[in-house]
Amino acid sequence: MGRLGEKILVVDDNAEFIDFIRRFLESKDFQVSIALNGKTAIEKTLSDIPALVLLDLKLPDMPGEDVLKSIKEIDKDIAIIVITGFGGEQVAVDMMRKGATDFLSKPIDHQVLLSSIKNALEIRDAQIEDGRFDRYPSLEKFFPFLAHEIRNPLHAISGALAIIQRRSDLKDELLSQSIKIISEEVNHLNEFVQECLNFVRPPNMVRITAVEINEVISVVMNIISHMFELESKKIRIVTDMNPNLPKIYVNYEEIKQAFLNIVKNAFEAMPEGGQFTIRTCHKSDSPKCIEITFIDNGIGIKKENLGKLSNPFFTTKLRGTGLGLAICHRIINERHGGRIYIESEENKGTTIKVELPIGRPLGEISGVK
Ligand SMILES: Nc1ncnc2c1ncn2[C@@H]1O[C@H](COP(=O)(O)OP(=O)(O)OP(=O)(O)O)[C@@H](O)[C@H]1O
Ligand SMILES: [Mg+2]
């Protein structure tokens, strides 16, 4: 099948089933290793990263969902095919949201298994290839091309999906869940394309206006409370805003976008809840600026990643584009002559300070022509 020697880890507590799968996959020249429980599966993934994992969701020691999560944390490019017993489709669909590529129900047909593996490995190759984006000399040229190429088929997919939706029996749970997944993924891609365009969009002089930073922050926090409805209940928000800040000349939409990206990251870093503090103050020393500080006590950032944060596409999240902070850097540093400082400690939290200059003549704002 052209994928000779790829490593596959089979995780299942049924020795008979494992033996059957192992013999079949080895006859197709895959390298197969096995794990009879979740703990061994994670250890084997750590010691010798497989290309693909066949994961039974019913394991003796831990929920299959947790194993899936741990494997994806070790290397998010590992392809995972979930295996369920009869009637487990509902759970499997949920697993696909969490990063599984496909699911198969027992008993498993040889040909179905082989084509599912082939497909999952191809998707994995494409993902790895996407990670090598920096081959393109100019993102400014590449992103509009990418947006055009992706948006047209996305419109066609959305249209066709609407027809399927209308004609389908939506009482069929599995079918309606699958339609929902396609629709969510289409939205995700649309948003991704928009972020790529935001990243390269030229600055617009007309949009520079006198803005009250405290007001931008309250708009951002309002948007965040809708985006993170559930998490918001577990996150204590502390604000310490200086009410006497001078207005500053900025592009309101861009600054809002930058703050939104920063606060979104903070909320994403506190899935179990925590405390989020925003402070604004007026720094009158030279150069005069407004300082906005965002503090979370979430998962923090590994030391070795601190230098990579504003690289486009650097992400540690399964569904992240890695453009959030790159866009912030562009907006704050390059377009508004400001600075961003990031301090973070793993498992302690992250502090991001943004400085925006006051009273800077418009013509001097770098990038504004
Ligand atoms: N407050 C934070 N706490 C912990 N990690 C953070 C925080 N802010 C940024 N990061 C780290 O920086 C990485 C890059 O962030 P960035 O916003 O650029 O992309 P992303 O959040 O991964 O994806 P996107 O913003 O497109 O959803 C994140 O993946 C995360 O590892
Ligand atoms: Mg982000």
Side-chain angles (χ1 to χ4, degrees):
M1 60 181 288
R3 306 297 308 235
L4 303 184
E6 289 274 34
K7 286 180 203 145
I8 297 186
L9 173 64
V10 186
V11 189
D12 197 307
D13 63 337
N14 180 336
E16 228 173 274
F17 175 77
I18 284 218
D19 198 43
F20 154 80
I21 296 278
R22 192 220 305 249
R23 266 188 283 131
F24 172 65
L25 293 179
E26 283 180 350
S27 77
K28 299 291 171 196
D29 292 319
F30 287 107
Q31 278 186 55
V32 181
S33 61
I34 59 174
L36 294 169
N37 56 49
K39 189 167 168 278
T40 318
I42 294 165
E43 281 165 8
K44 289 207 168 179
T45 304
L46 269 172
S47 62
D48 188 11
I49 295 203
L52 183 143
V53 177
L54 282 176
L55 174 66
D56 192 310
L57 286 182
K58 267 213 181 106
L59 295 170
D61 59 337
M62 57 197 284
E65 186 183 339
D66 292 354
V67 182
L68 182 138
K69 197 165 159 254
S70 302
I71 291 175
K72 283 286 178 187
E73 274 169 11
I74 293 168
D75 181 345
K76 69 186 169 77
D77 290 328
I78 297 173
I80 299 183
I81 298 176
V82 163
I83 296 174
T84 64
F86 177 73
E89 285 90 348
Q90 187 56 54
V91 187
V93 169
D94 200 35
M95 289 305 102
M96 289 180 71
R97 286 182 202 277
K98 298 190 165 126
T101 313
D102 198 358
F103 74 91
L104 302 170
S105 300
K106 286 181 184 172
I108 292 178
D109 175 83
H110 278 154
Q111 283 320 311
V112 174
L113 174 65
L114 206 53
S115 76
S116 173
I117 290 178
K118 187 165 175 259
N119 188 35
L121 289 174
E122 274 169 10
I123 291 173
R124 173 178 174 270
D125 285 351
Q127 275 169 354
I128 293 173
E129 185 64 18
D130 286 348
R132 300 193 190 118
F133 246 89
D134 51 1
R135 287 178 305 147
Y136 294 96
S138 153
L139 295 177
E140 270 71 10
K141 287 201 182 113
F142 181 65
F143 279 168
F145 161 77
L146 176 93
H148 177 257
E149 289 301 302
I150 290 185
R151 271 190 174 156
N152 286 346
L154 277 183
H155 285 149
I157 293 170
S158 300
L161 188 66
I163 296 172
I164 294 175
Q165 226 160 354
R166 276 201 302 276
R167 294 266 178 109
S168 306
D169 171 12
L170 293 179
K171 281 191 208 101
D172 181 333
E173 263 297 301
L174 193 58
L175 185 65
S176 72
Q177 287 273 359
S178 305
I179 289 175
K180 198 160 162 243
I181 290 179
I182 299 177
S183 153
E184 283 172 4
E185 295 302 304
V186 165
N187 285 342
H188 175 74
L189 269 177
N190 267 320
E191 280 165 19
F192 169 70
V193 168
Q194 191 54 52
E195 279 205 43
C196 289
L197 288 177
N198 290 347
F199 183 67
V200 296
R201 204 171 45 188
N204 185 347
M205 176 74 171
V206 181
R207 298 230 189 113
I208 302 281
T209 51
V211 169
E212 274 188 34
I213 282 300
N214 289 346
E215 197 184 302
V216 185
I217 287 170
S218 64
V219 170
V220 166
M221 291 314 292
N222 192 22
I223 299 174
I224 286 287
S225 70
H226 293 291
M227 280 170 98
F228 293 87
E229 232 178 315
L230 284 181
E231 294 83 347
S232 285
K233 296 196 179 96
K234 297 182 286 180
I235 294 174
R236 199 170 101 84
I237 296 169
V238 180
T239 48
D240 175 11
M241 318 286 244
N242 179 338
N244 302 316
L245 293 179
K247 286 188 176 181
I248 53 172
Y249 287 90
V250 292
N251 181 323
Y252 174 86
E253 285 302 324
E254 287 191 351
I255 294 296
K256 190 175 97 189
Q257 179 69 56
F259 289 176
L260 199 58
N261 291 356
I262 292 172
V263 184
K264 198 169 141 258
N265 283 341
F267 273 58
E268 285 167 350
M270 297 184 285
E272 310 299 337
Q275 177 161 310
F276 179 63
T277 308
I278 304 190
R279 200 174 291 144
T280 56
C281 69
H282 181 187
K283 281 179 83 179
S284 51
D285 49 335
S286 171
K288 283 187 177 174
C289 65
I290 285 182
E291 186 182 82
I292 308 102
T293 312
F294 305 86
I295 307 169
D296 70 67
N297 63 354
I299 55 172
I301 301 167
K302 285 198 170 84
K303 241 194 199 124
E304 66 261 33
N305 289 339
L306 279 171
K308 307 176 194 162
L309 300 177
S310 49
N311 294 351
F313 304 114
F314 173 76
T315 182
T316 54
K317 297 172 195 167
L318 192 56
R319 307 298 312 249
T321 63
L323 284 173
L325 286 179
I327 289 173
C328 286
H329 189 269
R330 253 199 185 190
I331 293 175
I332 306 286
N333 297 49
E334 295 176 24
R335 297 191 185 165
H336 289 88
R339 308 286 292 265
I340 304 179
Y341 302 91
I342 304 181
E343 272 173 26
S344 186
E345 203 175 325
E346 218 184 344
N347 300 321
K348 288 252 166 72
T350 303
T351 298
I352 299 197
K353 264 194 191 142
V354 174
E355 282 179 2
L356 284 168
I358 302 173
R360 205 176 159 89
L362 294 188
E364 266 185 35
I365 298 174
S366 73
V368 178
K369 302 214 170 71

